Amino acid sequence: MQQSKIVTIVLPIISIILFSLISAVVPGYMWLFFVLYFAVIMVVSYKVSMKGMKTITEHKGSALFKEENTAQIMNLDRLLLDELKSQYKSTMLMMFLPLMLIFFIMPLAGAIQQTVKQIVSQYIEEEFLRNFLGFLAFYLVMFGIIGLPSRLLMRKSAKKKQLYTPMKYIVYRDGILVDRGRLIGYTEDICFKSNTDRKFVELHSSKLPFLVRLYTLEVSKLVSKLKEVKLNECSE
């Protein structure tokens, strides 16, 4: 199993148990721990989504190709706006759907806890343990209600990866340096597609969570430099 999958499975489970324990100790702050739990899930999702890229502060070696004028070139692509609109709608849905579900779930917190506590009180006398199990049930229900539709949306969006268009980039022999000092390495399965009419070269890789579209007026030159670093055109 890939490390990213292990993290996305194990960390939420650990978080549920940890926040359930803390909530049982100080139940009055349950809403705060609920927000913290949600924040942890969002941070983990972001970190996993950035796999395939690493942040660097400086780079050694000479540049093979440099483009710092992509914003103006992107304006020439009349189809790009429609692509970004569709992507924006999908992103907003993935962001706000969990928040909407949280709004409806929170009022159920007390009911879920009391139901579980009534059931386990027949077998467990210790108040702390009953509280813990009540909070544990609530977090599990919450995770299921929020996680299921979110995962369905992520699977749907994974079939059509998000588009990433760097504002500037530099091609080196060991990778492509894009915005904010992030380096896209040349993985084994990375390939490219070029579109001379729309003025871009697009990188495809299963290791990246998105399609990297490099806009330039010198498409043929960029293609030549990518081939120079042993990148191949995509077969499909």
Side-chain angles (χ1 to χ4, degrees), residues 50-54 161 172-176 183-192 203-210 212 226 229-232 234:
M50 296 307 293
K51 65 178 181 178
M53 300 179 69
K54 60 181 181 180
K161 288 187 175 183
Y172 291 98
R173 293 196 177 278
D174 60 343
I176 301 175
L183 185 71
I184 301 174
Y186 302 135
T187 56
E188 293 181 358
D189 70 334
I190 196 169
C191 62
F192 68 87
L203 302 179
H204 294 249
S205 172
S206 62
K207 300 293 191 300
L208 293 171
F210 36 63
V212 182
L226 293 178
V229 296
K230 308 303 181 182
L231 263 63
N232 298 316
C234 300

Side-chain angles (χ1 to χ4, degrees), residues 36-226:
L36 289 174
Y37 170 79
F38 185 73
V40 168
I41 299 302
M42 294 296 289
V43 170
V44 172
S45 299
Y46 172 76
K47 291 294 185 180
V48 171
S49 71
M50 296 307 293
K51 65 178 181 178
M53 300 179 69
K54 60 181 181 180
T55 303
I56 62 175
T57 55
E58 60 178 320
H59 195 282
K60 297 180 180 180
S62 58
L64 300 178
F65 187 90
K66 181 185 294 187
E67 182 61 72
E68 297 180 339
N69 194 35
T70 59
Q72 294 183 19
I73 303 171
M74 287 164 58
N75 291 332
L76 302 175
D77 188 356
R78 297 180 179 180
L79 300 178
L80 178 61
L81 183 59
D82 290 335
E83 291 177 320
L84 294 180
K85 282 182 178 179
S86 175
Q87 180 171 298
Y88 177 79
K89 291 178 181 178
S90 176
T91 302
M92 289 298 102
L93 183 60
M94 291 182 64
M95 287 179 60
F96 286 105
L97 179 60
L99 295 176
M100 293 172 61
L101 291 173
I102 287 175
F103 177 79
F104 289 107
I105 293 172
M106 284 301 290
L108 299 176
I112 295 173
Q113 291 173 254
Q114 291 302 318
T115 300
V116 173
K117 288 176 66 176
Q118 288 178 4
I119 295 174
V120 300
S121 62
Q122 303 176 35
Y123 311 98
I124 301 174
E125 296 182 359
E126 188 175 348
E127 181 69 16
F128 171 79
L129 188 53
R130 293 203 299 265
N131 286 335
F132 167 73
L133 293 175
F135 282 113
L136 182 63
F138 166 69
Y139 283 117
L140 287 172
V141 170
M142 178 272 299
F143 180 76
I145 294 177
I146 294 177
L148 181 59
S150 298
R151 283 183 176 276
L152 291 176
L153 284 174
M154 290 179 67
R155 287 184 179 181
K156 182 179 179 180
S157 63
K159 295 179 180 178
K160 185 178 181 181
K161 288 187 175 183
Q162 297 272 324
L163 183 63
Y164 173 46
T165 56
M167 291 295 101
K168 58 183 179 179
Y169 59 89
I170 305 175
V171 178
Y172 291 98
R173 293 196 177 278
D174 60 343
I176 301 175
L177 189 65
V178 297
D179 303 325
R180 299 178 182 178
R182 294 193 177 276
L183 185 71
I184 301 174
Y186 302 135
T187 56
E188 293 181 358
D189 70 334
I190 196 169
C191 62
F192 68 87
K193 296 180 180 179
S194 61
N195 191 316
T196 306
D197 294 333
R198 296 177 62 187
K199 308 299 181 186
F200 69 74
V201 175
E202 205 168 68
L203 302 179
H204 294 249
S205 172
S206 62
K207 300 293 191 300
L208 293 171
F210 36 63
L211 301 178
V212 182
R213 183 175 292 179
L214 307 174
Y215 278 91
T216 180
L217 294 177
E218 301 178 289
V219 174
S220 59
K221 182 178 179 181
L222 176 55
V223 167
S224 174
K225 294 303 179 182
L226 293 178

